[in-house]
């Protein structure tokens, strides 16, 4: 008997930030001189869910918004992208976060996030989680930002503990110092105990060099990957920027894949596209190198485009980029 859509487990549930990205439609122009902006769905948890949905996966996101028109827009955008928004709930009295950026290709994209007095996504409460859906999802994804403040911290750890590694459980280290309280903002080691607790319940960890250093105290990619495996994860993925990506599995499998050549327009959404494609490859049961090549290609495609969520590639676009050996201009 075929299961109904309601009873089928999700391919991917993400938990964390959702917000509005207001990106300048002019590149190479400082924010005070920008005259026009585009409005897009943003936030890493939302973007990863969108990226996987674009690749054909059934996804949902756990987050919170303000009870305001921007919150309404985010619900509409998630549904338009095919992402289930049932666990995105409003927080009265807190505004939906808005993020501006400046676009100076190829490698300068300053962000200005307005999350005061507190971002609604940090009001996710453990008592309101659908823990059974989280346990039953084929992949569950959380972010380091979710550990930055209560009650989100307790909710994130509760979700991970309830899932109890019942399937691939991804911890995106997602270190954003500005989102933490003063001590952890100034001293990354203050965040390390919370990362360590999350790692206890994690099977896959993803981070860039700065983020793995926060989690392990080590910056050299191979040493940091080994430290993450020693912490109990099964797969450590270290994004190395221009040097590509390193992936090391507990079973000894290993892949180090160079980046796909691309003319960068806006690099901000590349990591989320990588994450969605990573989940897609894990669900497909591909070998590690193929997973990393597809994830790299997805990230490169988004880096060639202005927006984040709306830029997430289709399977055909990823395959075309891989076949060409570069992202087409």
């Amino acid at each position: 008997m075929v299961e109904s859509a309601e009873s089928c487990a999700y391919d991917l549930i993400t938990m964390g930030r959702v917000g509005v990205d207001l990106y300048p439609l002019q590149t190479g122009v400082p924010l005070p001189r920008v005259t026009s902006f585009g409005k897009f769905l943003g936030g890493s948890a939302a973007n990863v869910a969108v990226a996987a949905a674009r690749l054909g996966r059934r996804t949902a996101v756990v987050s919170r918004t303000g009870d305001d028109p921007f919150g309404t827009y985010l619900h509409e955008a998630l549904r338009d992208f095919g992402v289930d928004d049932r666990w995105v709930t409003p927080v009265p009295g807190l505004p939906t976060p808005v993020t501006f950026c400046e676009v100076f290709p190829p490698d300068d994209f300053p962000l200005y996030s307005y999350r005061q007095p507190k971002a609604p996504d940090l009001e996710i409460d453990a008592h309101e989680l659908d823990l059974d859906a989280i346990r039953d999802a084929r992949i569950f994804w959380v972010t380091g930002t979710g550990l930055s403040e209560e009650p989100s911290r307790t909710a994130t750890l509760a979700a991970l503990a309830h899932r109890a590694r019942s399937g691939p459980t991804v911890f995106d280290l997602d270190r954003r110092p500005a989102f933490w309280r003063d001590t952890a903002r100034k001293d990354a080691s203050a965040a390390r105990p919370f990362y360590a607790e999350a790692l206890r319940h994690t099977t896959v960890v993803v981070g860039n060099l700065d983020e793995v250093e926060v989690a392990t105290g080590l910056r050299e990619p191979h040493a940091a990957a080994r430290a993450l495996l020693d912490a109990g994860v099964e797969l450590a993925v270290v994004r190395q920027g221009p040097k590509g990506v390193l992936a090391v599995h507990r079973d000894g499998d290993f892949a180090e894949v160079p980046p796909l050549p691309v003319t960068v327009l806006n690099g901000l959404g590349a990591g989320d596209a990588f994450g969605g494609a990573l989940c897609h490859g894990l669900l497909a049961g591909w070998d590690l190198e193929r997973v990393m090549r597809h994830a790299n290609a997805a990230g490169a495609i988004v880096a060639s485009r202005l927006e984040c969520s709306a830029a997430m590639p289709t399977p055909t676009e990823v395959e075309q980029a891989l076949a060409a050996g570069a992202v087409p201009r």
Side-chain angles (χ1 to χ4, degrees):
M1 189 174 95
V2 177
E3 292 178 292
S4 71
E6 287 296 313
S7 63
C8 289
Y10 291 87
D11 290 319
L12 170 66
I13 294 178
T14 67
M15 180 173 169
R17 293 198 312 282
V18 62
V20 176
D21 287 345
L22 293 175
Y23 284 1
L25 300 182
Q26 301 147 283
T27 62
V29 178
L31 208 53
R33 290 170 45 202
V34 173
T35 58
S36 57
F37 296 85
K39 180 169 97 286
F40 307 102
L41 169 72
S44 61
N47 285 338
V48 171
V50 169
R54 276 280 174 88
L55 296 171
R57 299 300 177 176
R58 184 171 186 248
T59 70
V61 62
V62 179
S63 191
R64 307 200 72 180
T65 70
D67 188 8
D68 54 26
F70 274 149
T72 301
Y73 162 72
L74 293 177
H75 280 278
E76 293 173 351
L78 285 167
R79 292 193 291 266
D80 286 346
F81 285 124
V83 177
D84 196 323
D85 66 336
R86 70 182 63 195
W87 297 303
V88 180
T89 58
V91 181
L94 291 179
T96 298
V98 174
T99 298
F100 291 86
C101 80
E102 293 176 303
V103 180
F104 296 105
D107 58 3
D108 187 18
F109 310 103
L111 279 173
Y112 305 90
S113 297
Y114 293 83
R115 293 168 58 86
Q116 293 81 23
K118 185 179 184 181
D121 55 80
L122 295 176
E123 283 293 308
I124 298 173
D125 193 290
H127 298 96
E128 298 173 357
L129 296 175
D130 187 335
L131 292 173
D132 289 341
I134 288 170
R135 181 198 59 219
D136 294 342
R138 296 179 68 193
I139 294 181
F140 179 52
W141 178 291
V142 301
T143 75
T145 296
L147 301 174
S148 66
E149 195 165 337
E150 295 289 5
S152 173
R153 179 184 300 145
T154 293
T156 299
L157 295 174
L160 289 170
H162 185 84
R163 183 169 171 84
R165 300 182 179 218
S166 57
T169 304
V170 185
F171 179 22
D172 176 3
L173 297 175
D174 185 44
R175 169 70 175 167
R176 307 293 177 104
F179 297 168
W180 288 72
R181 294 291 186 180
D182 288 344
T183 301
R185 184 180 305 160
K186 296 173 182 176
D187 181 2
S189 65
R192 196 166 294 147
F194 305 122
Y195 278 62
E197 178 63 20
L199 287 169
R200 291 180 55 238
H201 308 289
T202 297
T203 65
V204 181
V205 64
V206 183
N208 61 30
L209 293 176
D210 291 336
E211 291 163 345
V212 297
E213 185 176 15
V214 172
T216 67
L218 301 169
R219 189 171 182 85
E220 196 282 319
H222 293 267
R226 287 193 297 272
L228 291 167
L229 295 177
D230 289 343
V233 306
E234 296 174 10
L235 175 63
V237 180
V238 183
R239 299 196 306 266
Q240 304 176 84
K243 292 185 178 180
V245 61
L246 167 70
V248 184
H249 196 279
R250 175 177 296 282
D251 66 7
D253 200 5
F254 169 92
E256 193 158 15
V257 177
L260 201 65
V262 59
T263 299
V264 175
L265 175 59
N266 182 0
L268 291 175
D272 297 333
F274 180 99
L278 167 67
C279 292
H280 176 64
L282 292 175
L283 289 167
W286 293 341
D287 66 75
L288 191 56
E289 182 166 339
R290 184 180 180 188
V291 173
M292 292 302 113
R293 289 192 181 281
H294 274 72
N296 257 0
I301 290 168
V302 172
S304 74
R305 300 169 175 176
L306 174 64
E307 61 272 25
C308 294
S309 54
M312 297 301 172
T314 64
T316 298
E317 289 173 321
V318 175
E319 292 294 347
Q320 288 174 342
L322 287 168
V327 177
R329 294 195 179 198

